[in-house]
């Protein structure tokens, strides 16, 4: 049994996700990321959800309707892009996600 002095810090899931979100929001408020669009789907809300990937990794991404309307092109699967985004957590799933503000082919 672990003694009180040696007991590790215990987090609830929400506390840990909250702390990770705070760190990401502070340290990765604006990033530029290059990758290929994959699994793109448009929601009824007008938002666009996709995966941004390269040869070894992938990240979930969302481009909200307002940012999507400012694009000079139509995003599509297989298109190589550079995105300006913030990195944060989608707390309901505990998932790391890019929140895309702008995108260039």
């Amino acid at each position: 049994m672990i003694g009180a002095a040696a007991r590790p810090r215990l987090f609830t899931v929400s506390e840990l996700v909250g702390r990770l979100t705070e760190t990401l929001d502070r340290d990765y408020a604006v990033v530029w990321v290059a990758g290929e669009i994959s699994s793109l789907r448009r929601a009824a809300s007008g938002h666009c959800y996709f995966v941004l990937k390269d040869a070894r990794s992938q990240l979930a991404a969302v481009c909200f309707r307002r940012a999507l309307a400012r694009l000079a092109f139509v995003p599509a699967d297989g298109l190589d892009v550079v995105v300006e985004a913030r990195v944060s957590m989608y707390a309901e799933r505990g998932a790391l996600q890019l929140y895309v503000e702008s995108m260039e082919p």
Side-chain angles (χ1 to χ4, degrees), residues 3-90:
R7 189 168 301 208
R9 168 69 165 98
L10 179 64
F11 294 95
T12 66
V13 172
S14 294
E15 287 172 331
L16 183 56
V17 168
R19 285 187 177 218
L20 292 170
T21 300
E22 288 172 6
T23 299
L24 292 168
D25 290 348
R26 181 187 65 238
D27 295 346
Y28 299 95
V30 179
V31 295
W32 290 87
V33 185
E36 177 187 333
I37 293 175
S38 179
S39 304
L40 184 134
R41 65 182 171 81
R42 294 183 190 276
S45 62
H47 306 327
C48 182
Y49 297 90
F50 58 97
V51 170
L52 193 64
K53 67 180 187 174
D54 63 20
R56 297 183 339 175
S57 299
Q58 65 180 21
L59 285 169
V62 59
C63 187
F64 292 121
R65 179 180 59 236
R66 190 170 294 156
L68 201 56
R70 292 190 307 261
L71 299 182
F73 70 101
V74 177
D77 280 349
L79 188 62
D80 287 323
V81 295
V82 175
V83 302
E84 176 187 13
R86 68 181 174 85
V87 182
S88 194
M89 297 285 288
Y90 180 61

